[in-house]
Amino acid sequence: MPSSTAPAVRDARRAENRARRAAGAASTQPSYRAFAVTVGRVERLSPSFTRVTFVGADLAGFGRDGLDQRIKIVLPDAAGRAPRLEDFTGDWYQAWREQPESERHPFRTYSIRALRGEGTQTELDVDFVLHGTGPHAGPASRWVARVQVGDRLVISGPNAAYDGPPVGLEFDPPAAAARLILAGDETAAPAVCAILEQLPAGTDVDAFLEV
């Protein structure tokens, strides 16, 4: 499913940001903030991939720079308690580090697979690679193995009110590049697919994914 951010719109936003920086303007808003989300849909894409669609009115303020946008997903703690939005606002990271590890809400970094809709109807897709639920599995793999519609989480992502340069993006090829090559393993597949969907028509690109 394609992202709602077209390349032309994204490039225009970046040009505006460069102009602001050149003029010495500084944003008064944080580049990232916490968003309260709920699981709206769960789709098993393959034996090793599950897509989770997050919804919630708070996503109306989610930034839309597109491409391989990086986010952090805050997961339930060891007791299964859902994270609270108020615990992940402001300077939350230091307070989080000071908590006993057994009481912390773990968080993991993911790339957005797709973002669509507008305002309070915004939906955000994240594709999770399934690594099982055994003793060596991470908290995200264990969570997605038992995820249910209605589960509540917190996502740290780009703030639409921030007017500085885009953040959380890694893909930035030279403007003069005549050909693009994208390569990655299964964990990079969502980012690579999102990039491919947003490249201008006619782009000469090859993608190699190991899954």
Side-chain angles (χ1 to χ4, degrees):
M1 286 175 281
S3 164
S4 60
T5 303
V9 175
R10 184 185 66 249
D11 292 343
R13 184 180 297 119
R14 288 179 172 176
E16 292 172 1
N17 289 331
R18 286 194 293 269
R20 291 192 185 99
R21 293 198 300 275
S27 177
T28 59
Q29 295 287 334
S31 58
Y32 265 56
R33 75 169 178 87
F35 296 85
V37 297
T38 300
V39 174
R41 287 191 302 279
V42 179
E43 180 183 1
R44 187 70 173 262
L45 301 178
S46 74
S48 58
F49 276 98
T50 289
R51 174 169 297 164
V52 178
T53 299
F54 296 100
V55 298
D58 207 17
L59 289 175
F62 200 90
R64 293 173 179 263
D65 285 310
L67 293 173
D68 56 339
Q69 181 67 62
R70 185 171 64 247
I71 61 174
K72 293 189 182 300
I73 299 178
V74 185
L75 301 159
D77 63 14
R81 292 181 294 249
R84 303 185 308 172
L85 181 66
E86 56 267 31
D87 292 335
F88 293 90
T89 57
D91 188 19
W92 62 268
Y93 184 65
Q94 185 58 40
W96 179 87
R97 290 191 62 186
E98 293 172 355
Q99 292 177 326
E101 187 171 352
S102 61
E103 298 178 10
R104 290 177 183 169
H105 287 275
F107 58 85
R108 293 295 184 268
T109 301
Y110 282 85
S111 296
I112 294 175
R113 177 60 185 88
L115 184 67
R116 62 185 168 275
E118 300 292 339
T120 59
Q121 302 304 308
T122 299
E123 296 185 343
L124 188 158
D125 290 342
V126 177
D127 289 353
F128 292 81
V129 179
L130 305 177
H131 297 292
T133 59
H136 300 295
S141 184
R142 292 194 297 270
W143 174 79
V144 78
R146 58 179 184 270
V147 63
Q148 295 183 358
V149 171
D151 286 355
R152 294 179 293 110
L153 290 185
V154 170
I155 288 178
S156 177
N159 181 9
Y162 173 69
D163 59 3
V167 293
L169 303 177
E170 302 298 334
F171 181 72
D172 190 18
R179 183 187 181 196
L180 301 176
I181 298 177
L182 304 176
D185 63 7
E186 59 188 1
T187 63
V192 171
C193 291
I195 290 168
L196 291 172
E197 289 177 346
Q198 297 174 74
L199 290 174
T203 299
D204 186 3
V205 57
D206 291 307
F208 302 91
L209 291 170
E210 181 181 28
V211 296

